[in-house]
């Protein structure tokens, strides 16, 4: 089948290229805009209490407004505010209100907004939208900071903005334009490394053009699918799509080009060499893509809408990368022929690749030692995963000199830390009749537990069947102590105190994050095993074996644990971080386990090919490692380097993500794919392929090593059996 696909693309290149161009232009013009949201509550299913609380609010208090930001006023000398200072606070708030900034509904303050110790005064910034990440609201927050300066002139006051919207603005500015940074770094790495590998400017540039075209098609398909399916994408999906499509697309392109160059060196003419390359590695690329696609689609089993939306989007991008690798790449290079390698002549010669040869020889001579050492290294790193602590407090990762961070510290000199974003508790009468005042007072009193700084009087809804309490915690809404308090003691107290015939619901930011923590833990137990079983099935079909997929997946699981463990050692133990990004295991799963499996598949496919050519297991290992090492190394360095750029960001969570994925990809490529997997295969010998009895090469390959093809000139002067061949 893959030979036929390659033949069509090579012999009808303009038809293939035209089809891609038409698809890209049509989708760019007609596809809807990809929508995104950063409201995590929208991604939880309705069974979670925080979501039910939000629905109760919508029914009873549709006009309820939470402050999007809080202005924190204090004297420059840190002393208690005077009466003139308090009057100046009211004047500044009124002045900011009069600016009429976009999506800012009001800036309010009052005597009750002065702290008990008299040192801090607050003004609430109410917005017309709920999403604190709204771009227009963010721009208004920036303008509020600018407009406050002249209003404060001549007073003894300073003002800082904190709260959700202010933190969102600071987080974005601290991390910079992440999408642009990732895109620039990715393109630069691809161009530079391909230039080093092939020594041809054309080959360095063409993949970028090809993958950019595929990126346009993928983005259009994803936005169309999202529109038709009513899906939402997390705000970070665009950056992830860039890395996935360019990283995976480059991997598949390298798999094909290395084999294409190998066929040319074997004596085939350019068109036949490309057809043979597609036939020989097409199944490998398709299997690798299939493993990544099913791993991403396993996210559909998640309870979180964020992950359910991400899964199909990433699966579509990988499917497009696969299609481009099997059709668009062969079509473009068939038009160029050997001119694609200009001005280099190195494609005609077989490189010595001394290092790859030594690695292959060592793996063949001492498989037991190398397998043991490799597994031991991974096991030692994996020990660190036992200390993994999920961190939900995104604000703690921000640089401490940001205005939202310093203003929050100032606020805590006079108020409870939860003042900027109180937890809301609802008491609802199940039969819809009004609540009794005595019940409301008793219930409110029961909420005054340790860790709660203030409980507002009950506010009844329109029909009196639902009452709302604003509960100010002594902790910041996103820190671990707040999540533990809300998900445990506060909810327990509320549920116990709810009178017969009523129900209590705890909502707000802390409650949402606590429920997300529960959902994520559930997803780990469901999604990961389902993806593992699906990948094992694909490996079994590719290798026609039951044994090989078992030890391959065992090594993948060990690599996953080693990657997380190493990140724990570096950031929690070394850098002293309280915890790691709570979504980090999912990120590692997406980019290390799913995409990194490509390298294992490439290696075992080459091993299977060498065994199928009649070679002994250890000789097959030597040749497979020698031949595959340059391809795997180049692909891994590009993908790891792309993520490594995130370590330049000031945000520690982006640094964690960058390190974990970059390190995990390198670990998968250089330890697992090049050392552990081939040596285990060598130790097992023919048992690795049980219950298969006879292994055969793809039908297009007539000569050992895959160089020959029926009807070609590969047999004339071919050196495909040379172990140094790449």
């Amino acid at each position: 089948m893959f030979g036929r696909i390659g033949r069509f693309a090579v012999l009808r290149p303009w038809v293939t290229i035209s089809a891609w161009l038409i698809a890209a232009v049509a989708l760019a013009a007609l596809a809807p805009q990809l929508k995104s949201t950063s409201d995590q509550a929208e991604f939880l299913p309705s069974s979670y209490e925080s979501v039910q609380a939000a629905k109760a609010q919508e029914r009873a208090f549709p006009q309820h407004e939470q402050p999007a930001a809080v202005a924190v006023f204090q004297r420059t000398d840190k002393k208690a505010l005077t009466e003139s200072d308090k009057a100046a606070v009211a004047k500044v708030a009124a002045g900011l209100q009069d600016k009429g900034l976009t999506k800012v509904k009001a800036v309010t303050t009052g005597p009750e907004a002065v702290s008990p110790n008299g040192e801090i005064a607050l003004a609430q910034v109410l917005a017309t939208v709920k999403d604190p990440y709204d771009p227009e609201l963010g721009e208004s927050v920036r303008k509020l900071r600018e407009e406050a300066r002249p209003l404060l002139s001549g007073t003894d006051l300073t003002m800082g903005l904190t709260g959700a919207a202010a933190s969102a603005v600071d987080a974005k500015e601290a991390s910079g334009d992440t999408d642009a940074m990732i895109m620039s770094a990715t393109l630069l790495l691809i161009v530079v490394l391909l230039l080093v590998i092939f020594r041809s400017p054309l080959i360095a540039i063409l993949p970028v053009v090809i993958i950019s075209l595929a990126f346009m098609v993928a983005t259009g398909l994803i936005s169309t699918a999202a529109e038709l399916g009513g899906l939402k994408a997390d705000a970070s999906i665009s950056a992830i799509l860039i890395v996935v499509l360019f990283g995976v697309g480059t991997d598949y392109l390298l798999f094909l080009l290395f084999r294409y160059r190998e066929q040319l060196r074997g004596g085939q003419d350019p068109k036949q060499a490309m057809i043979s390359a597609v036939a020989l590695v097409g199944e490998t690329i398709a299997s690798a893509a299939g493993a990544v696609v099913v791993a991403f689609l396993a996210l559909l089993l998640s309870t979180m809408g964020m992950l359910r939306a991400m899964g199909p989007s990433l699966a579509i991008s990988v499917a497009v990368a696969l299609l481009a690798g099997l059709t668009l790449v062969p079509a473009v290079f068939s038009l160029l022929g050997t001119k694609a390698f200009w001005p280099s002549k190195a494609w005609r010669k077989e490189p010595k690749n001394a290092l790859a040869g030594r690695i292959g020889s060592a793996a063949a001579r001492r498989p037991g030692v190398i397998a043991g050492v490799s597994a031991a290294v991974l096991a030692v790193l994996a020990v660190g995963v036992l200390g993994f602590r999920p961190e939900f407090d995104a604000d703690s990762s921000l640089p401490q000199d940001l205005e939202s961070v310093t203003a929050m510290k100032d606020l805590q000199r006079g108020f409870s830390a939860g003042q900027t974003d109180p937890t809301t508790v609802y008491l609802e009468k199940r039969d819809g009749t009004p609540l009794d005042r005595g019940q409301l007072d008793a219930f409110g009193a029961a909420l005054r537990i340790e860790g709660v700084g203030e409980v507002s009087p009950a506010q009844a809804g329109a029909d009196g069947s639902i009452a709302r309490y604003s509960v100010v915690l002594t902790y910041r809404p996103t820190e671990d102590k707040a999540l533990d308090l809300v998900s445990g003691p506060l909810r327990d107290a509320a549920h116990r105190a709810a009178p017969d015939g009523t129900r209590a619901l705890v909502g707000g930011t802390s409650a949402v994050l606590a429920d997300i923590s529960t959902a994520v833990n559930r997803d780990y137990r469901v999604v990961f095993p389902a993806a593992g079983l699906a990948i094992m099935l694909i490996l079994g079909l590719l290798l026609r074996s039951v044994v090989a997929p078992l030890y391959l997946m065992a090594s993948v699981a060990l690599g996953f644990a080693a990657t997380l463990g190493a990140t724990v050692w570096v950031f929690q133990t070394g850098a002293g971080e309280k915890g790691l990004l709570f979504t980090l295991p999912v990120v590692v799963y997406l980019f290390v386990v799913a995409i990194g499996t490509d390298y294992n598949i490439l290696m075992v496919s080459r091993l299977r090919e060498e065994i199928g050519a009649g070679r002994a297991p250890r000789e097959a290992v030597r040749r497979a490692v020698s031949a595959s090492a340059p391809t795997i190394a180049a692909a891994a360095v590009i993908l790891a380097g792309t993520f490594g750029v995130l370590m330049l960001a000031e945000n520690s969570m982006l640094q964690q993500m960058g390190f974990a994925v970059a390190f995990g990809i390198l670990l998968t490529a250089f330890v697992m794919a090049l050392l552990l997997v081939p040596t285990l295969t060598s130790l097992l010998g023919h048992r690795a392929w049980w219950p298969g009895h006879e292994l055969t090469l793809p039908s297009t390959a007539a000569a050992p090593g895959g160089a020959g093809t029926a009807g070609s000139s590969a047999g004339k002067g071919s050196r495909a059996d040379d172990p140094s061949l790449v």
Side-chain angles (χ1 to χ4, degrees):
M1 179 180 73
F2 295 103
R4 290 194 296 271
I5 293 173
R7 186 173 297 278
F8 180 90
V10 169
L11 299 182
R12 296 175 178 81
W14 287 114
V15 173
T16 304
I17 295 171
S18 298
W20 275 93
L21 289 172
I22 292 170
V25 172
L27 287 168
L30 302 176
Q33 185 74 23
L34 184 62
K35 299 175 182 178
S36 66
T37 179
S38 297
D39 187 353
Q40 299 296 337
E42 295 185 24
F43 293 126
L44 285 169
S46 59
S47 59
Y48 285 91
E49 185 172 328
S50 59
V51 178
Q52 295 174 19
K55 292 180 178 178
Q57 175 186 303
E58 291 172 3
R59 293 196 304 272
F61 306 94
Q63 303 304 318
H64 173 63
E65 297 168 326
Q66 284 282 92
V70 175
V72 181
F73 295 88
Q74 61 180 325
R75 287 181 57 86
T76 54
D77 58 11
K78 309 293 184 181
K79 295 181 179 179
L81 299 169
T82 65
E83 290 302 318
S84 61
D85 291 332
K86 295 173 186 178
V89 169
K91 183 178 179 181
V92 172
L96 294 175
Q97 164 80 41
D98 293 341
K99 298 298 180 182
L101 298 177
T102 303
K103 295 189 177 179
V104 173
K105 184 175 183 179
V107 182
T108 64
T109 188
E112 73 283 354
V114 178
S115 65
N117 63 10
E119 295 180 359
I120 304 295
L122 305 179
Q124 293 188 344
V125 180
L126 303 178
T128 59
V129 292
K130 293 194 304 179
D131 185 3
Y133 295 89
D134 184 277
E136 293 181 335
L137 177 60
E139 183 58 32
S140 293
V141 167
R142 294 187 187 91
K143 289 181 179 178
L144 278 173
R145 288 170 168 169
E146 294 173 3
E147 299 288 355
R149 294 191 188 101
L151 294 174
L152 290 166
S153 178
T155 72
D156 295 320
L157 300 173
T158 63
M159 188 200 89
L161 274 182
T162 188
S167 294
V169 169
D170 288 345
K172 183 176 180 180
E173 292 180 350
S175 61
D177 192 340
T178 304
D179 286 7
M181 179 175 65
I182 291 177
M183 176 69 86
S184 300
T186 302
L187 297 182
L188 181 63
L189 280 166
I190 291 174
V191 169
V192 170
L193 287 174
L194 289 179
L195 189 61
V196 170
I197 293 166
F198 292 99
R199 284 167 279 182
S200 165
L202 202 54
I203 287 186
I205 298 298
L206 273 177
V208 174
V209 175
I210 292 170
I211 299 172
S212 297
L213 187 61
F215 181 77
M216 293 173 60
V217 172
T219 304
L221 289 175
I222 290 167
S223 60
T224 301
E227 182 76 16
L228 296 177
L231 298 175
K232 293 179 180 178
D234 181 70
S236 63
I237 189 66
S238 57
I240 295 175
L241 285 177
I242 292 169
V243 174
V244 168
L245 196 57
F246 278 83
V248 171
T250 304
D251 277 4
Y252 300 160
L253 185 143
L254 286 173
F255 292 175
L256 186 64
L257 286 187
F258 270 90
R259 204 56 184 258
Y260 172 53
R261 191 173 67 176
E262 183 175 326
Q263 299 304 111
L264 288 173
R265 289 171 179 164
Q268 294 186 7
D269 65 85
K271 288 188 180 296
Q272 186 59 54
M274 181 56 76
I275 294 171
S276 298
V278 175
L280 288 165
V281 300
E283 184 179 20
T284 300
I285 295 175
S287 299
V292 178
V293 166
V294 298
F296 288 160
L297 290 180
L299 294 176
L300 290 171
L301 300 174
S302 170
T303 58
M304 293 182 61
M306 174 183 68
L307 297 180
R308 288 201 306 274
M310 186 185 295
S313 299
L314 298 178
I316 289 172
S317 67
V318 174
V320 171
L322 168 65
L323 190 60
L326 295 179
T327 60
L328 185 58
V329 173
V332 170
F333 279 88
S334 71
L335 292 175
L336 296 171
T338 57
K339 295 183 180 66
F341 297 99
W342 181 87
S344 173
K345 306 292 185 182
W347 65 270
R348 299 177 179 177
K349 306 172 184 178
E350 295 164 12
K352 296 179 180 179
N353 287 319
L355 180 59
R358 285 197 295 271
I359 293 173
S361 298
R365 286 197 311 271
R366 298 182 179 85
V369 173
I370 291 179
V373 171
S374 301
V377 169
L378 295 174
V380 169
L381 292 175
V383 171
V385 81
L386 299 176
F388 174 73
R389 293 190 300 272
E391 175 62 72
F392 293 85
D393 185 4
D395 293 345
S396 67
S397 67
L398 297 175
Q400 295 301 298
D401 59 349
L402 294 178
E403 181 175 324
S404 61
V405 177
T406 57
M408 173 58 77
K409 292 177 181 177
D410 293 333
L411 180 149
Q412 290 176 257
R413 288 178 41 231
F415 293 92
S416 296
Q419 189 75 42
T420 59
D421 191 358
T423 294
T424 48
V425 181
Y426 299 88
L427 184 64
E428 180 178 16
K429 198 74 173 289
R430 294 184 185 277
D431 60 7
T433 58
L435 289 159
D436 179 77
R437 172 52 59 180
Q439 292 177 326
L440 295 177
D441 292 342
F443 182 79
L447 299 178
R448 293 181 173 88
I449 63 175
E450 185 178 355
V452 171
E454 179 185 341
V455 178
S456 70
Q459 181 182 359
D463 62 1
S465 65
I466 299 178
R468 182 184 71 226
Y469 301 81
S470 180
V471 179
V472 177
L473 307 181
T474 57
Y475 311 115
R476 283 186 296 111
T478 56
E479 67 177 300
D480 291 343
K481 290 181 180 179
L483 272 59
D484 293 340
L485 174 62
V486 167
S487 62
L490 183 58
R491 274 183 174 163
D492 291 342
H495 295 164
R496 282 196 306 267
D500 292 340
T502 68
R503 68 167 181 166
L505 300 169
V506 179
T509 299
S510 301
V512 168
L513 291 175
D515 287 344
I516 287 177
S517 174
T518 301
V520 167
N521 290 331
R522 177 264 177 198
D523 289 346
Y524 292 163
R525 297 190 299 269
V526 174
V527 174
F528 291 176
L533 289 173
I535 293 174
M536 276 184 60
L537 179 61
I538 289 177
L539 288 172
L541 293 174
L542 169 68
L543 303 174
R544 285 79 165 171
S545 166
V546 172
V547 176
L550 292 176
Y551 68 80
L552 283 173
M553 289 310 299
S555 67
V556 165
L558 185 58
F560 173 83
T563 300
L564 271 184
T567 310
V568 170
W569 292 124
V570 171
F571 287 93
Q572 287 186 197
T573 305
E577 299 282 353
K578 292 188 299 182
L580 301 180
L581 177 65
F582 74 96
T583 55
L584 195 62
V586 175
V587 171
V588 173
Y589 156 77
L590 289 175
F591 298 108
V592 177
V593 174
I595 297 177
T597 300
D598 288 1
Y599 309 135
N600 285 336
I601 289 177
L602 180 68
M603 176 57 69
V604 294
S605 295
R606 188 64 184 237
L607 282 168
R608 179 176 175 271
E609 184 178 322
E610 298 293 344
I611 292 289
R615 296 185 176 89
R618 294 199 177 190
E619 175 63 13
V621 165
R622 185 179 69 82
R623 293 176 59 86
V625 172
S626 300
S628 302
T631 310
I632 291 174
V637 168
I638 288 175
L639 189 58
T642 300
F643 273 98
V645 174
L646 292 178
M647 295 181 67
L648 300 176
E650 292 187 49
N651 188 309
S652 66
M653 290 193 175
L654 288 178
Q655 294 172 0
Q656 293 168 19
M657 184 187 299
F659 172 83
V661 177
F663 182 81
I665 288 292
L666 296 176
L667 199 68
T668 299
F670 292 100
V671 177
M672 289 170 54
L674 291 180
L675 297 177
L676 184 59
V677 168
T679 51
L680 286 176
T681 305
S682 177
L683 291 171
L684 289 170
H686 288 286
R687 292 188 297 274
W689 313 102
W690 185 88
H693 298 291
E694 293 184 4
L695 296 175
T696 57
L697 291 170
S699 60
T700 56
T709 301
S712 77
S713 58
K716 300 176 182 179
S718 171
R719 290 185 290 174
D721 291 326
D722 191 324
S724 67
L725 182 64
V726 294

